[in-house]
Amino acid sequence: MKSLCVKNILESINGTILCGSDNVEFIGASIDSRTVKTDEAYFALKGERTDGTLYCSDAIKNGAKVCFVESNIFSDEELNNLAQSATIVLVPNVEDALVEIAKVKRSLYDIPVVAITGSVGKTSTKDVIAEVMAQKFNVQKTQGNKNNRLGVPLTIMSLRDNDALVIEMGMNHLGEIHELTNIARPTLSVISNIGTSHIGNLGSRENILKAKLEILDGMTNKKVIINNDNDMLHKWNLEDETAEKITFGVHGKSKYMASKIKMTEKSNEFCVELNSTEYKFTTQKPGEVFILNALSAIAVGMEYDIPIDKMQKAIANAEITKNRLDIEKVNDVLLIKDYYNASFESIKPSLEYLANLDRGRKIAVLGDIKEVGSFSKEIHEKVGKEVAKNKIDKLITVGEEAKNIVKKAKNEGMSNEDVCSCDSNEQAIEVLKGMLLKGDTVLLKASNSMKFGEIYDEIVNYISEQLK
């Protein structure tokens, strides 16, 4: 394990020791005084409601040997007492200090670092890639979707005896991934797609592409794996001459392509030609998006010489973060939980999957798409068009903006009896209860902030008790 010594990082963070020794060493980082470990430093962040400095004593009791703070709220007596067991370092900004220290930690590791970004699917892509990389390396990966200016440094600080890192990078504005990639210094990058997420902040898909391509800024080799089925990435691939691109796809001609695709309710089967031989792969979850995830992982695996048979096993067994096309059957009603996030690009394949199921009625429950700003009406209407195009039997929406989904679906031919706009989850629950029959399939798709888990829990109870 590679430790950091306080005295070696003081200058880079403009730090001043309030008490304790500058010879103290630490390995990891924590921003939670309750869970900090004995070999970690505690970073006392200031939030809107509280100041982490207030919890330094708790962090030290739980084992922290170093605390980084941006305000000296301690009396001389308190500092004298704290100095017996820990070092307190005063910095201008704790979050900035975490970033700079993570850069130092990263410089200690000469290992593969695979960075993933994209408008949708970053976390599930990261999960599959990490599973493939784990067939050869001791992998550390981003936990959940902690992919921002705090999450990326904390992930890097969690490196211990690892010899590979798989890290997710998200953004809301231009310049954010530029900073993240210069912290992580990837050796290989993956861009899953360019869609409309955060278009309200960025103004155009062209700017979203520009923001995602910032991932190359922290790379010396500029080697990137891209989804060639995505129109924006395909165009960039044809026009750019600065980066080394490795392509994957289902539809457009790519280096790694899926063929002979078979989808069931709960899985995919497909073939990929590797080294002039065709190999069969399976995924635990259905839908084209998970085939694309697997293809990106195969491309990564081939770059790091991971045996193909081990990749097959890893992809078949990869655990994906919950609420991404999770499927559960209750009394012959199929429920599809897909409410971790929502954008046009993630809703479209979910609707296509729903439409292609060989079952009874197809019911889509959709919520507001967030962070699309002035593009909201246009994007929600595009979703409504997809609902009608895929011949979904019943449509229920929740939220003010999602009413545009219903309006467009009706314009495209859906009847008044088959659509319903709801103002709350409670209303949507009552509507669902009034229509559900055995054999139905229900897609629950929305941003996490819409709290569609409330709908799922109530409907599961209803089905269990009333549709026996």
Side-chain angles (χ1 to χ4, degrees):
M1 287 186 282
K2 302 180 189 296
S3 61
L4 297 166
C5 185
V6 168
K7 66 182 177 183
N8 294 333
I9 53 143
L10 278 178
E11 184 176 350
S12 65
I13 61 174
N14 195 18
T16 302
I17 292 179
L18 295 179
C19 70
S21 169
D22 66 357
N23 280 317
V24 68
E25 295 184 347
F26 60 98
I27 294 172
S30 176
I31 58 174
D32 190 334
S33 63
R34 298 165 297 181
T35 59
V36 64
K37 298 181 176 65
T38 55
D39 57 1
E40 292 178 339
Y42 171 60
F43 288 78
L45 295 172
K46 275 192 174 182
E48 293 181 4
R49 297 182 179 179
T50 189
D51 182 352
T53 310
L54 298 170
Y55 306 101
C56 282
S57 293
D58 293 336
I60 292 167
K61 286 178 184 176
N62 288 327
K65 295 294 187 292
V66 187
C67 296
F68 293 93
V69 301
E70 57 189 72
S71 56
N72 183 3
I73 63 172
F74 310 100
S75 67
D76 290 342
E77 182 180 356
E78 286 174 320
L79 288 174
N80 286 332
N81 291 333
L82 291 171
Q84 304 305 310
S85 52
T87 296
I88 310 293
V89 181
L90 180 68
V91 295
N93 182 283
V94 169
E95 187 173 318
D96 290 346
L98 175 59
V99 166
E100 293 304 316
I101 293 170
K103 289 179 182 178
V104 176
K105 179 76 179 261
R106 168 66 182 94
S107 71
L108 302 177
Y109 287 79
D110 183 15
I111 61 174
V113 176
V114 182
I116 297 116
T117 194
S119 292
V120 293
K122 293 184 292 296
T123 302
S124 55
T125 300
K126 174 259 302 179
D127 290 336
V128 180
I129 289 173
E131 197 73 37
V132 166
M133 290 289 284
Q135 305 308 302
K136 182 176 179 179
F137 301 99
N138 178 6
V139 176
Q140 181 58 283
K141 70 172 183 175
T142 301
Q143 298 303 306
N145 69 328
K146 295 178 180 178
N147 58 21
N148 58 12
R149 194 174 190 259
L150 277 177
V152 168
L154 286 170
T155 301
I156 292 169
M157 291 298 293
S158 69
L159 286 168
R160 294 174 184 266
D161 292 325
N162 309 103
D163 55 5
L165 174 64
V166 178
I167 197 156
E168 180 182 336
M169 295 183 185
M171 64 87 204
N172 294 308
H173 299 88
L174 286 164
E176 292 177 349
I177 289 181
H178 170 81
E179 181 178 31
L180 299 181
T181 189
N182 278 290
I183 301 169
R185 295 290 180 185
T187 58
L188 180 67
S189 290
V190 179
I191 305 179
S192 61
N193 48 60
I194 304 298
T196 54
S197 298
H198 312 302
I199 197 169
N201 297 331
L202 288 142
S204 68
R205 290 184 71 212
E206 286 75 17
N207 276 344
I208 295 171
L209 173 64
K210 183 178 178 181
K212 298 299 184 183
L213 289 176
E214 289 174 358
I215 202 167
L216 301 173
D217 296 350
M219 304 179 69
T220 55
N221 61 5
K222 309 291 185 188
K223 183 182 283 190
V224 58
I225 294 168
I226 62 169
N227 175 3
N228 205 31
D229 286 351
N230 182 264
D231 59 336
M232 299 293 287
L233 288 170
H234 175 73
K235 183 174 183 290
W236 174 73
N237 180 33
L238 296 177
E239 296 175 352
D240 173 80
E241 296 180 355
T242 62
E244 179 184 350
K245 279 92 66 179
I246 301 164
T247 57
F248 66 89
V250 173
H251 305 290
K253 183 173 175 56
S254 304
K255 182 172 183 178
Y256 299 104
M257 291 194 67
S259 63
K260 301 179 182 177
I261 296 171
K262 296 180 181 177
M263 294 187 191
T264 68
E265 282 185 7
K266 294 190 175 183
S267 66
N268 296 309
E269 286 186 5
F270 61 97
C271 293
V272 183
E273 185 176 307
L274 304 172
N275 300 330
S276 302
T277 302
E278 189 174 84
Y279 294 88
K280 182 185 288 187
F281 289 83
T282 61
T283 67
Q284 276 197 7
K285 291 194 176 186
E288 188 173 292
V289 63
F290 293 103
I291 296 175
L292 292 169
N293 290 350
L295 288 170
S296 68
I298 291 166
V300 170
M302 295 298 287
E303 287 298 301
Y304 291 109
D305 298 320
I306 294 174
I308 295 170
D309 62 330
K310 290 188 175 183
M311 287 199 285
Q312 289 172 309
K313 184 180 295 185
I315 290 169
N317 297 324
E319 291 189 16
I320 307 298
T321 304
K322 291 183 178 180
N323 297 332
R324 291 161 172 83
L325 219 65
D326 288 344
I327 296 172
E328 184 171 348
K329 187 180 285 187
V330 183
N331 288 342
D332 201 34
V333 175
L334 196 68
L335 298 171
I336 305 169
K337 296 188 289 181
D338 198 6
Y339 42 75
Y340 180 79
N341 60 30
S343 66
F344 172 73
E345 290 75 22
S346 65
I347 294 172
K348 183 176 184 290
S350 296
L351 289 170
E352 290 171 347
Y353 167 71
L354 175 64
N356 288 325
L357 287 174
D358 186 17
R359 285 181 54 83
R361 296 187 308 170
K362 314 313 195 309
I363 302 171
V365 186
L366 308 177
D368 284 349
I369 300 172
K370 305 294 187 179
E371 296 184 7
V372 289
S374 62
F375 296 86
S376 180
K377 185 174 184 290
E378 174 188 345
I379 289 173
H380 285 88
E381 286 180 346
K382 285 176 68 177
V383 172
K385 188 173 182 178
E386 288 295 321
V387 172
K389 175 184 172 183
N390 284 285
K391 301 188 184 320
I392 304 304
D393 297 297
K394 301 287 184 180
L395 169 65
I396 300 169
T397 66
V398 181
E400 188 63 29
E401 297 300 318
K403 291 177 180 178
N404 290 304
I405 299 176
V406 166
K407 291 176 184 176
K408 187 63 175 179
K410 288 168 64 175
N411 289 341
E412 295 290 322
M414 289 191 75
S415 68
N416 288 330
E417 292 75 23
D418 293 330
V419 299
C420 180
S421 296
C422 298
D423 295 320
S424 66
N425 289 345
E426 291 76 16
Q427 187 181 353
I429 289 165
E430 293 308 310
V431 172
L432 264 175
K433 286 180 179 179
M435 70 168 61
L436 275 176
L437 302 171
K438 282 189 175 183
D440 286 348
T441 300
V442 181
L443 168 67
L444 298 168
K445 180 67 177 173
S447 297
N448 193 42
S449 61
M450 297 296 292
K451 299 181 179 179
F452 267 27
E454 297 173 349
I455 300 177
Y456 172 79
D457 291 341
E458 285 292 325
I459 292 304
V460 165
N461 290 335
Y462 173 78
I463 295 169
S464 300
E465 296 173 1
Q466 304 296 324
L467 295 182
K468 295 179 181 178

